[in-house]
Structure formats: C-alpha cells, structure tokens
Amino acid sequence: IFFSNNILLYITTGYWDIEAQYKPLLHTWSLGVEEQFYILFPIIYLTFLKYRKYIFFSIFTFILISSLSLFIYKSYSYESYYYYLLPARFWQLTSGIFAFFIFKNFNFNKYLTLSLIILTFILNYIYSHLYLEHKWIPHVSATLITTIFIACREKTVIHNVLKLRFLKLIGLISYSLYLLHQPIFSFFRLYSSEVITLQNSLLLLCITFIVSLFTYKYIEKPFRNTSLISNRKFYIIIIPVSSLLIL
C-alpha cells in the first residue's frame, strides 16, 4: 500500500538475510522504489523545465552524482539503506534519462558500443573478484551496461542480438517473470524440506517461465487491449479488487 514495501523491508529485513528467502513478496521492494521515483521525477522535471537545456541537464547530472555517491557510501556502512531506499537508488533510474538523451543526440559506432560493454564486463569481473568488499561495483557495472543497451541505435551488434526471437520473448514476459519468480521459490522453501539444489532451481525456473507465458497471454495482453477491456471496464474490475486487498 502506498508503494512502501521497500521501507517496510528496510526496517524489518536485510535483503541477504536467511529469513528473506521465505518472503514471497520480498522482490516488491523494487516496485516501491520505482513508483516513488515516478511520483517524484515529474515534480523535479516540471520544476526545472523552465530553465535552459544545459542547466536542466546539469541539475540532473548533479542529482545522479549525489545519489550515486550516497549509494557507494552506504554500501560500506549500511547495507539495507543502499539496497532498499530511493535516495540511494535514484541514480539508477535517472540513468535511463541519460540513455534517452544519448540515444537522441549521439550515434554510437557499433564497434564502440560492443567495446564499451566488453570493457565493463572485464572491469566488473576484475573488481568483484579482487575487491570483494566493494559491493557497489556490480550494481554500477550492471547499470552502465543497461544504459548502453538502451542507448544503442539500430544496426549495432547489441541491437541485432536483442532482436533475436527468444530474447524478445524474454522481454515480453519479463514483468511476469519478475512477479512470479520470488513467490514460486519462496513457497518451495516454505513447504519443502529439500534444499534448493541446481536441479530444483532449474525445475523452478521452468515452472516460472511456463506460468509467466500463461499470465502474459491470458492476463497482461487482454488488459492492454482496449478493444477487449475498455478503461471503464478496467476501473470497474480493479477498484473493487484493490479495495478487497486493502481490507
């Protein structure tokens, strides 16, 4: 409720604590962060929109650097804060804005794009294995790689790879995969005495994939099709269901 599960988890549970593995809704902390960002970002955007482009961009650069600095600082001293809360995660979501800016204003050479991603992977591997205490490095590397992916134009190597049918399918069902993977793994831990082995993990991943295909086809797609479910029908369905869940 009110997109606050990340705050509740910050108060009660460390993400890497053993008991966290048994919480079916643990992963919804990221939804809380995202929705808080979607509420805050338009306010910041409209506040500074009246300024010239370079001032506007400079302000967002300052916000990104400040948030990233807080993220790195808290990663050494307060793990739950840097993992769960928006101030330390704001830079990751803001990087999407930079990806859009790059995509709109620059045209990466296809070999430069691939080189940047390979270099990022190599640096991430080196630092994550030699300097294990620097927990922030994999996060920064993953965000940088994702930003480059988003900024890729057509006819680059990365763009062509992402056009593969299997990867496009993963993208289409990714939200369902995200929503379902944690409950499936958590309920297995809660109701089974078995330790999750590699074989169990593969089986649970297959189940998650199959159920995600089903929910994408029969829930996501119909709700997105306004010819099947109009806005009026949507609100008639969602408001009573949401009210029942809140009660």
Side-chain angles (χ1 to χ4, degrees), residues 18-177:
I18 293 175
E19 62 267 25
Q21 301 177 20
Y22 298 89
K23 293 192 173 185
L25 299 180
L26 175 71
H27 60 317
T28 59
W29 70 267
S30 62
L31 286 180
V33 171
E34 289 167 19
E35 296 303 331
Q36 289 157 17
F37 176 82
Y38 297 145
I39 292 170
L40 184 60
F41 172 73
I43 298 171
I44 299 173
Y45 179 79
L46 293 173
T47 300
F48 296 106
L49 186 61
K50 58 185 177 182
Y51 298 105
R52 293 185 179 181
K53 184 184 290 187
Y54 74 91
I55 297 176
F56 177 80
F57 191 73
S58 298
I59 290 169
F60 268 94
T61 302
F62 173 77
I63 293 173
L64 186 149
I65 294 172
S66 299
S67 176
L68 176 58
S69 301
L70 179 65
F71 179 85
I72 293 172
Y73 172 73
K74 289 294 185 180
S75 70
Y76 293 108
S77 58
Y78 206 164
E79 185 174 295
S80 290
Y81 185 100
Y82 97 92
Y83 205 94
Y84 284 130
L85 299 185
L86 179 62
R89 289 286 187 172
F90 199 90
W91 67 276
Q92 288 181 302
L93 295 162
T94 308
S95 64
I97 300 169
F98 280 81
F100 172 77
F101 177 82
I102 294 168
F103 180 85
K104 189 176 180 181
N105 293 279
F106 298 98
N107 189 6
F108 275 148
N109 178 282
K110 59 182 179 180
Y111 299 110
L112 174 61
T113 303
L114 185 61
S115 300
L116 284 171
I117 292 174
I118 292 172
L119 178 62
T120 305
F121 271 116
I122 292 171
L123 291 174
N124 177 58
Y125 179 83
I126 292 171
Y127 279 102
S128 61
H129 284 75
L130 296 182
Y131 303 99
L132 297 177
E133 69 273 17
H134 302 312
K135 299 177 182 178
W136 57 272
I137 291 174
H139 296 274
V140 174
S141 299
T143 304
L144 178 59
I145 292 169
T146 304
T147 303
I148 297 170
F149 275 25
I150 295 170
C152 285
R153 289 180 177 271
E154 294 184 5
K155 298 181 181 179
T156 60
V157 175
I158 300 303
H159 185 271
N160 292 333
V161 170
L162 293 176
K163 285 171 64 178
L164 295 174
R165 291 187 65 180
F166 178 73
L167 293 181
K168 288 174 72 174
L169 176 63
I170 295 293
L172 289 172
I173 67 171
S174 60
Y175 187 63
S176 292
L177 286 170

